[in-house]
Structures are given as C-alpha cells and as structure tokens.
Amino acid sequence: MTSLEVAIAKIKRLPIEQRNEVIEFIEFLEFKLGKISHIPEQIETNEKEVSFTEAAQEFIGCLDSNLEDLSYNPKYMEGFGK
C-alpha cells in the first residue's frame, strides 16, 4: 500500500468536519509551495441549510414597540429629572 493509499484510507475514517480540516491543511501546504489550486467544493455535511427567516423566527416580533428609543426604561428613568 502506498503512502497516498494509507492517507486516503485514514481520511475516509474521519468525521466530515475533520475531513474539511484536512482539505484546508492541504490548501495551506499548497499555498506555502506557491501552488494554489483552490477547489471550492467541500465535503457535504449532514446539516440542512436554513434560511435567515427560519433562523431568526424565534426573534420575530421581539422588538415590536411604540417606543422610538429602545433604550427607554421607565423604572430606570423615574429617579431622573427631579
């Protein structure tokens, strides 16, 4: 078995996140050698892409207020202006 075959076998046993780290390290080594051959593809993860709306859904409406200044706190302001 050649060293390349050993490396490939070991990489195949790694979790996806660590495979991406291996790719980044190889790209770093290529950069150091001046041989940049960036391949934009990364190994796909099992994570589903989420839209901004889906990610922010729990925060929708949390800033709804009639206040123009969101820093206004009536309890804090009671002591001022006396």
Side-chain angles (χ1 to χ4, degrees):
M1 195 178 261
T2 67
S3 59
L4 181 59
E5 292 170 331
V6 171
I8 291 170
K10 289 184 180 227
I11 292 169
K12 284 182 178 180
R13 289 190 295 236
L14 292 174
I16 292 172
E17 295 82 20
Q18 289 183 328
R19 289 183 194 178
N20 286 331
E21 288 183 34
V22 171
I23 291 169
E24 289 174 8
F25 181 68
I26 292 170
E27 289 173 349
F28 168 73
L29 293 176
E30 289 176 333
F31 175 77
K32 279 179 44 176
L33 292 172
K35 299 178 181 179
I36 302 172
S37 63
H38 181 70
I39 302 172
E41 297 175 24
Q42 285 204 338
I43 299 168
E44 292 185 27
T45 63
N46 294 334
E47 295 179 18
K48 175 187 133 188
E49 283 191 31
V50 178
S51 71
F52 176 78
T53 306
E54 288 175 309
Q57 189 169 12
E58 66 182 289
F59 301 107
I60 292 175
C62 70
L63 295 179
D64 288 344
S65 171
N66 292 331
L67 298 175
E68 291 180 20
D69 182 0
L70 294 177
S71 66
Y72 176 73
N73 182 340
K75 290 182 182 177
Y76 177 77
M77 299 302 286
E78 286 175 3
F80 291 99
K82 290 185 178 181

